[in-house]
Amino acid sequence: MTNKATPATGHRQIVLELNELCPSLLDRLIGEDLLPHFAALRSESEVWVTRPDVDDDTLLEPWIQWYSVHTGLPFDEHRVFHLTDGARAGHRDVFRMLLDAGRSVIDFGSMNVAPFADPDGVFIADPWSEDGRSHPGAFDVYARFVSENVREYSNAGRAMSAADYLRFLGFMVSHGLSVETVRAILAQLASEKLRESRLSWKRVMLLDRLNFDVFRAAWKKRKPDFATFFSNSVAHVQHSYWRHMDPAAFAVKPGPGEMALYRHAVRDAYVAMDRLVGGFRALAARHDATLIFATALSQQPFLRYEDKGGQNFYRLHDVDAFLREAGIAYREASPTMTHQYMLECGDAAGARAARKRLEQYTDCEGRQVFGFPAIESAPGALYFGCQISRPVDEDEQIRDGGRNRAVDFASLFYRIDALKSGRHHPDGCLWIANGNPRVHERRASILDILPTQLALAGIAVPEGLAGKPLLEHAAG
């Protein structure tokens, strides 16, 4: 393979898209000497706290905010509201701008990005994408394995086959699997077997290790001009276990058993991410790349349902079996985030019919079981999910009004084993390791990130974008 030469006027960039890490928690844990690699990265970086491109809390979602980061467009212009809408929206993003300028690119799981095929690059879709095709196609084995585990991690009835694991292992052995990662996997499995099965929550951090091994191998082989690496592990842990880190903020207190298991979950997730940052710092130093760390947004305690026992999430045991039994016509059903699914129904009439049928399911209080987003997706697509958030009794029934019958709730749904504890916060992190350490008091917009990346690459920033290159501002 012939690599495209990095232009003399540009800089190689590795962008760590570490979703929803919190500026305040980073400061605290760095102060406690728990994050040496984050501390070192900050000491060599220009540092900003970022603000989002929206004021409406309902739009403060990572699949919206990351799309704004990648395109430089605010939501009011791009109107991408759903997790899977980015692939079909058609806006030029940072990846296409760089490709059009002759640069080589790796996109390793960035959220809500449309696929591309660069002969010298790599594209791996985010795990929630309904179109998981990768480039080169050899990465499909990896991407599909990761996607299945991310989407169905809570569903014991959706175990992957031995053949799936063997294909995945074969891919990993030939794509960078490290001895350190193998040791970590074996230690994790032993802790679940010998100590406590619920320690399986830590597997999310093993996924980061696997992702880093594959990314590092791809980077060394291709030495691209620009690469992104997305991780959702800390965001996931914060959503689930913030109340265990800070029980005083919540009315629903975890019991002693939960506290023993999850008290340090958020801290441990940051420590694991710190180890990953150390690997990226070493990789960037060896290949003379500028390391950029961004979070798009962050989190804070989620207290809205505390007076009702906290917000529970319920998922279908088998979405395909349920839809068939309900008589709903569809082409494909894809799990997205937490309790939500996306149906491809073929056309708008099919989506309307599917919604009408789902609306016929009501709970014991007469409320609809399934909820739908305020903004529709593309014609023919339907997002839906169980909107019951209260605790549900084991023998509770729901009503199927379409067939005038009662159905056991537990026969259709299972509860995800964690109350929602974290919600989104508008503050984000942006650190650019350019060797000119400085903490900026003025907040940057997430819309400034794309122009800054283009400027670092020596590429003219398109006219009409709201954001501006931050390093030019800093120099001024």
Side-chain angles (χ1 to χ4, degrees):
M1 176 178 293
T2 302
N3 288 310
K4 300 171 187 175
T6 301
T9 56
H11 299 265
R12 282 196 173 96
Q13 298 171 57
I14 300 176
V15 185
L16 301 184
E17 298 181 343
L18 308 184
N19 194 37
E20 299 174 22
L21 272 69
C22 302
S24 58
L25 287 181
L26 284 167
D27 287 343
R28 189 180 94 191
L29 295 173
I30 288 173
E32 295 173 4
D33 295 327
L34 292 173
L35 307 179
H37 298 297
F38 272 111
L41 179 63
R42 189 173 65 177
S43 73
E44 59 199 19
S45 298
E46 297 207 45
V47 173
W48 289 266
V49 172
T50 59
R51 53 183 171 81
D53 64 304
V54 294
D55 297 320
D56 185 347
D57 282 351
T58 64
L59 301 176
L60 196 63
E61 299 284 4
W63 49 88
I64 298 174
Q65 296 302 293
W66 282 115
Y67 194 83
S68 298
V69 169
H70 296 144
T71 61
L73 301 174
F75 173 78
D76 285 345
E77 292 185 38
H78 65 65
R79 306 301 295 178
V80 167
F81 182 77
H82 295 289
L83 179 55
T84 55
D85 285 353
R88 58 173 71 95
H91 301 104
R92 291 182 75 226
D93 55 24
V94 65
F95 306 101
R96 281 150 187 82
M97 293 178 191
L98 287 160
L99 289 169
D100 290 347
R103 308 303 202 264
S104 55
V105 172
I106 290 178
D107 168 10
F108 203 96
S110 290
M111 186 172 272
N112 222 357
V113 174
F116 59 81
D118 172 26
D120 293 311
V122 173
F123 171 80
I124 298 177
D126 69 66
W128 306 275
S129 172
E130 80 272 23
D131 181 0
R133 289 176 296 176
S134 306
H135 176 82
F139 286 88
D140 281 345
V141 170
Y142 178 79
R144 288 170 183 164
F145 182 92
V146 171
S147 179
E148 180 68 14
N149 278 276
V150 169
R151 294 185 186 200
E152 299 287 2
Y153 75 93
S154 63
N155 192 346
R158 287 292 296 266
M160 300 187 77
S161 69
D164 291 327
Y165 278 95
L166 285 173
R167 282 192 292 269
F168 177 72
L169 179 60
F171 174 90
M172 288 302 307
V173 168
S174 61
H175 288 79
L177 180 64
S178 66
V179 173
E180 293 82 1
T181 297
V182 173
R183 287 173 178 161
I185 292 171
L186 294 176
Q188 172 64 31
L189 295 177
S191 70
E192 294 176 28
K193 183 72 172 177
L194 301 176
R195 292 174 55 202
E196 167 61 70
S197 62
R198 287 178 295 174
L199 289 172
S200 60
W201 73 266
K202 294 187 176 184
R203 291 186 182 188
V204 68
M205 295 181 277
L206 294 179
L207 177 59
D208 281 335
R209 285 178 174 265
L210 291 165
N211 285 339
F212 177 70
D213 285 352
V214 176
F215 177 93
R216 179 171 54 189
W219 171 277
K220 289 180 177 179
K221 181 177 181 179
R222 292 166 173 83
K223 297 183 177 61
D225 301 315
F226 182 87
T228 61
F229 178 93
F230 182 86
S231 171
N232 194 57
S233 61
V234 171
H236 167 75
V237 171
Q238 288 175 160
H239 276 304
S240 299
Y241 305 119
W242 194 295
R243 76 177 61 242
H244 303 82
M245 174 182 68
D246 183 21
F250 296 86
V252 180
K253 308 291 186 186
E258 282 193 35
M259 287 298 292
L261 279 170
Y262 307 124
R263 181 178 199 173
H264 297 304
V266 173
R267 181 201 68 184
D268 291 349
Y270 274 81
V271 170
M273 187 61 70
D274 183 74
R275 183 168 51 244
L276 202 72
V277 167
F280 276 106
R281 289 187 67 241
L283 186 66
R286 283 196 298 270
H287 297 279
D288 193 26
T290 299
L291 203 57
I292 299 174
F293 158 53
T295 70
L297 61 166
S298 60
Q299 288 191 31
Q300 59 189 314
F302 178 75
L303 306 173
R304 187 180 305 164
Y305 294 93
E306 288 300 291
D307 60 341
K308 301 176 182 178
Q311 183 170 13
N312 295 267
F313 289 112
Y314 299 94
R315 298 184 80 235
L316 289 160
H317 290 290
D318 188 328
V319 62
D320 292 298
F322 165 74
L323 293 169
R324 288 194 299 270
E325 173 63 22
I328 294 174
Y330 67 102
R331 293 180 177 176
E332 185 176 4
S334 301
T336 54
M337 281 288 188
T338 317
H339 61 303
Q340 292 183 320
Y341 301 86
M342 197 272 285
L343 284 185
E344 287 284 359
C345 300
D347 54 32
R352 287 193 299 269
R355 175 166 178 159
K356 183 177 180 180
R357 179 71 179 97
L358 290 168
E359 287 173 344
Q360 294 176 324
Y361 290 86
T362 54
D363 69 4
C364 60
E365 299 174 356
R367 294 179 296 190
Q368 288 184 12
V369 171
F370 295 103
F372 310 90
I375 297 177
E376 296 289 347
S377 187
L382 177 68
Y383 277 85
F384 75 98
C386 180
Q387 63 178 352
I388 295 175
S389 59
R390 58 178 173 79
V392 174
D393 294 335
E394 289 185 4
D395 58 351
E396 188 168 320
Q397 294 186 320
I398 58 176
R399 191 77 187 164
D400 175 2
R403 295 181 177 171
N404 194 28
R405 62 175 181 171
V407 181
D408 290 336
F409 182 88
S411 70
L412 297 180
F413 298 96
Y414 68 93
R415 177 183 173 274
I416 294 178
D417 189 25
L419 292 176
K420 182 175 180 180
S421 297
R423 70 181 179 95
H424 296 134
H425 188 284
D427 287 355
C429 301
L430 177 64
W431 302 359
I432 302 176
N434 62 350
N436 182 31
R438 178 182 175 189
V439 177
H440 293 268
E441 304 231 348
R442 183 183 64 82
R443 297 195 174 208
S445 167
I446 62 170
L447 301 180
D448 294 328
I449 296 175
L450 179 145
T452 302
Q453 292 168 339
L454 294 179
L456 280 171
I459 297 171
V461 177
E463 294 183 5
L465 293 181
K468 303 296 180 186
L470 287 168
L471 299 182
E472 288 185 2
H473 289 176

